[in-house]
Amino acid sequence: MGTLRMLLCGLGGMLLASAGVRAEDPPAGGDAAKPRKSAEDVAKMLETFKAVKDTTPEGADLYLAITALAEAEHPDVVKPLAKHLADPRERVGRGAAVALARVGKALTPKERKPVLTALCSAIGFTGTRAPIAAEAIRALGQLGEIAVAPSLIPLIEAKDNATAKAAVEALALLPSAAAIDPLCSELMKLEPLPRGSGDGSSSGASTGGNDGAGGVGEGLGAQITALKEPILKTLNT
């Protein structure tokens, strides 16, 4: 869990210093000024997509088709894209997750539910498919739906470092105590690190860690906890 430890050290600084930046990010839900593609245009895009015959080992052609279909940003393309999350080829599965994130951002909360369901179905992938799980987790974070927090929290302790890292990053993007609480808890479990240890010592110095130890632990955890409510207030304005 060395990677997770380092990430949590950095996360402390991010939560303390970056709440305002994240609050400025455009919320998912689509651009009201951007007209939605017509049903006819979407139907044509779907026909083109279904006609793709990919025989390449890495799924290069299918990946390009998935990326192109995501440009529709329409509810009708969610199911065809979600189908390819299960593709064992990393490029295709990850491409499907990225595409679903793009489409999901353009949809209304009600329309977005199938996107969340599809992405959540992929977050448990392990082994050679773990990179697809990590991409799906990142996509959920980008969509910013608080409802997915309970599905992401257990993944903080995932054996796969990439999965755990993606879960922490995704939870940090969700403006909810349900998401921030477990991150604060993990931070406060960390023992202080000696200055110059090379494992988060710079984070402790930059975020106000204990002066004596120069690392992260109770000092940083207490600061994160104390500032949690202001952070949430900022995120929700």
Side-chain angles (χ1 to χ4, degrees):
M1 283 297 176
T3 300
L4 177 57
R5 181 187 180 101
M6 292 174 65
L7 181 64
L8 286 167
C9 293
L11 177 63
M14 183 179 70
L15 286 175
L16 286 169
S18 302
V21 174
R22 287 187 286 127
E24 294 173 1
D25 290 342
D31 185 349
K34 183 179 179 180
R36 175 171 286 184
K37 291 186 181 297
S38 68
E40 182 179 355
D41 287 340
V42 174
K44 290 180 179 178
M45 295 177 76
L46 284 168
E47 286 180 13
T48 301
F49 180 73
K50 292 176 181 178
V52 173
K53 304 295 183 183
D54 192 346
T55 58
T56 59
E58 296 181 357
D61 293 339
L62 184 53
Y63 169 80
L64 292 175
I66 286 171
T67 302
L69 185 60
E71 295 178 4
E73 298 184 346
H74 192 281
D76 288 351
V77 305
V78 172
K79 189 173 181 179
L81 291 174
K83 173 184 176 182
H84 293 287
L85 284 170
D87 195 302
R89 293 170 294 184
E90 180 181 334
R91 189 174 189 182
V92 175
R94 293 182 65 183
V98 171
L100 285 168
R102 174 174 178 173
V103 174
K105 290 177 183 178
L107 304 182
T108 66
K110 183 177 181 180
E111 293 171 334
R112 198 178 303 127
K113 288 182 180 180
V115 175
L116 301 178
T117 300
L119 290 171
C120 283
S121 72
I123 64 177
F125 291 167
T126 57
T128 58
R129 299 169 73 191
I132 299 174
E135 200 68 66
I137 292 166
R138 281 189 286 269
L140 288 170
Q142 292 169 24
L143 292 176
E145 291 282 355
I146 296 171
V148 304
S151 297
L152 298 179
I153 289 170
L155 298 177
I156 293 176
E157 301 291 346
K159 293 181 179 180
D160 179 76
N161 279 337
T163 298
K165 179 177 183 291
V168 172
E169 291 173 343
L171 286 166
L173 294 175
L174 304 183
S176 166
I180 293 178
D181 276 343
L183 301 182
C184 294
S185 177
E186 289 298 320
L187 277 169
M188 288 187 285
K189 289 179 185 177
L190 299 179
E191 297 177 0
L193 298 173
R195 191 180 299 278
S197 66
D199 187 8
S201 58
S202 60
S203 294
S206 63
T207 55
N210 293 334
D211 291 336
V216 292
E218 289 186 10
L220 177 58
Q223 290 182 60
I224 295 291
T225 302
L227 291 175
K228 181 180 66 179
E229 290 306 319
I231 289 172
L232 291 175
K233 184 177 180 180
T234 300
L235 287 169
N236 286 312
T237 55

